[in-house]
Amino acid sequence: MAESLLQPIGSLSPAEALELAQKAPEILRKNPRAFSASPLFSLFATPETADTWTIYENLMISCLQTGDDESAKECLERIITRFGDSHDRVLALKGLVKEATASDTSELEKILEEYEALLQQSDVNIVSGLLPRTCLSHGAKPTEPIWKRKVALLRSMGKVPEAVTALNSLLDVCPTDPEAWAELADMYATQGLYAQAVYALEEVLVLSPNAWNIQARLGEVSLMAATTAPQGGSEKHYAEAVKRFCRSIELCDDYLRGYYGLKLATDKIIQNAPRSRKDSDGFQLPDQGTVEKLNEAATKKLGEIVRRNGAKDKLWQGYDPIEIAAARELLDSSSTEVVR
């Protein structure tokens, strides 16, 4: 089977997902609908491994993304044959297929009601002792896949406040899920609740302290907050953004978003050039010389990334084309301002 199907499906581009989905009929044809527990079976057919089911799940999602509903349903049927249809993860996958194939909002509302019923049933099991509360302290996460599907469905339907409430409820039970905290931060940011978004992202860093992408995301949220801050109160947010972007590129050299954000933040500080280097909260900004050096370093590195990526240098590929285009536009705009 394709090695790409073992990678997180979210890391694949639309073109890569389409390529994998096109291989679905062949992959399904070459692999059995069910696996036998007999040792002799492995002598005559492809053996079952832990990766087998990761591949089927990722293949199912790729097929849903590209509109091949039949292949997606075939993948789901094979997963159900192996694990049954009452497992939480299987129930979530069944819901995902229903969401992707729903024809109107009323069908999505019915799916949402099904998620609610499953979650209420889980609550009854916990209270009645069928699922001990002590399991929560040992890392168990009852109905977590279903809960996350509910959050994703609410958000896709435009019910962001309800999705935030549902996700906060999940985090009350499972507070050590960095993906859930990151999703919560993103929803807060879309609503302009930047302080809450920063808090959620800091929770991610508590769980994943070396996540350079989260450091950069904190810098981006700080820049957003600076645009809405009252007059004279944006310096703190700019200084925080600079700190976060610097940390992101310290953890991951050649990280384009980190250098892009650092240049953008230092550009803003240089343009504003506040008379006082300290805002009303007593937050100290970097001195002008330091800001200019950081801006120069970020500009130089961004230029190198754009130039080498455009020259098809083998070691400088893999960047998102949209991010490369944004970096090139930022560099061009800065050059224009310097010429003027």
Side-chain angles (χ1 to χ4, degrees):
M1 293 187 182
E3 184 178 346
S4 299
L5 286 170
L6 293 174
Q7 301 175 8
I9 202 67
S11 65
L12 301 179
S13 68
E16 291 171 327
L18 176 60
E19 182 181 357
L20 290 175
Q22 290 172 339
K23 297 178 181 177
E26 179 184 357
I27 293 173
L28 293 170
R29 185 174 61 254
K30 289 183 176 180
N31 289 272
R33 290 178 174 272
F35 291 89
S36 171
S38 171
L40 294 176
F41 181 82
S42 62
L43 298 176
F44 306 101
T46 304
E48 176 187 6
T49 66
D51 290 340
T52 300
W53 306 106
T54 299
I55 290 172
Y56 274 135
E57 183 176 328
N58 287 342
L59 184 62
M60 185 196 82
I61 296 172
S62 294
C63 290
L64 290 175
Q65 289 175 332
T66 55
D68 187 357
D69 296 341
E70 292 302 317
S71 295
K73 290 177 181 178
E74 175 63 24
C75 292
L76 178 61
E77 287 176 5
R78 296 189 182 194
I79 293 172
I80 293 174
T81 300
R82 174 62 178 83
F83 297 101
D85 60 359
S86 60
H87 189 280
D88 284 346
R89 190 169 186 85
V90 175
L91 289 170
L93 292 176
K94 289 172 65 177
L96 178 59
V97 172
K98 290 181 181 179
E99 291 174 38
T101 57
S103 58
D104 52 38
T105 304
S106 63
E107 290 190 19
L108 293 177
E109 291 287 355
K110 291 179 181 178
I111 297 169
L112 192 58
E113 291 175 3
E114 291 178 9
Y115 290 153
E116 289 286 358
L118 288 169
L119 291 173
Q120 289 177 8
Q121 182 180 358
S122 174
D123 290 341
V124 170
N125 288 340
I126 293 175
V127 173
S128 64
L130 296 178
L131 183 61
R133 289 181 180 275
T134 53
C135 74
L136 302 181
S137 61
H138 291 82
K141 300 178 180 180
T143 69
E144 181 190 17
I146 301 169
W147 221 325
K148 288 186 175 181
R149 287 283 4 122
K150 174 186 172 182
V151 171
L153 180 54
L154 284 169
R155 188 174 187 184
S156 69
M157 295 172 69
K159 300 180 179 182
V160 179
E162 292 91 334
V164 168
T165 300
L167 192 49
N168 272 310
S169 297
L170 172 60
L171 286 167
D172 285 341
V173 178
C174 309
T176 57
D177 188 335
E179 291 182 355
W181 281 112
E183 181 70 12
L184 182 63
D186 190 59
M187 287 193 286
Y188 277 139
T190 61
Q191 297 179 89
L193 303 174
Y194 301 121
Q196 292 89 329
V198 167
Y199 175 85
L201 288 170
E202 288 174 343
E203 289 293 324
V204 179
L205 289 178
V206 169
L207 300 167
S208 305
N210 294 324
W212 58 83
N213 59 324
I214 299 301
Q215 293 284 358
R217 183 56 179 164
L218 262 169
E220 292 167 358
V221 172
S222 296
L223 283 180
M224 295 177 197
T227 62
T228 59
Q231 187 175 7
S234 61
E235 288 84 357
K236 177 177 68 173
H237 298 297
Y238 285 134
E240 180 68 12
V242 169
K243 181 179 75 172
R244 294 299 183 177
F245 288 128
C246 285
R247 180 57 176 158
S248 73
I249 59 180
E250 179 185 12
L251 290 168
C252 181
D253 194 19
D254 303 329
Y255 186 46
L256 188 151
R257 292 182 73 95
Y259 285 105
Y260 181 96
L262 181 59
K263 175 167 175 54
L264 199 59
T266 51
D267 277 347
K268 293 292 185 181
I269 295 176
I270 292 172
Q271 291 169 9
N272 293 338
R275 296 178 181 178
S276 172
R277 307 304 294 175
K278 185 178 293 187
D279 69 5
S280 58
D281 295 327
F283 196 95
Q284 188 69 40
L285 282 167
D287 62 80
Q288 193 72 6
T290 299
V291 172
E292 291 176 355
K293 288 180 181 178
L294 289 173
N295 184 271
E296 181 181 352
T299 303
K300 181 179 179 180
K301 190 66 176 183
L302 272 182
E304 182 182 14
I305 292 173
V306 170
R307 183 177 67 256
R308 293 197 172 188
N309 179 268
K312 306 300 181 183
D313 191 317
K314 185 177 181 180
L315 298 179
W316 294 79
Q317 301 307 301
Y319 290 105
D320 188 328
I322 296 177
E323 294 182 356
I324 289 291
R328 184 180 292 109
E329 183 178 351
L330 178 62
L331 291 170
D332 289 344
S333 64
S334 297
S335 300
T336 302
E337 291 174 5
V338 170
V339 170
R340 288 179 178 176

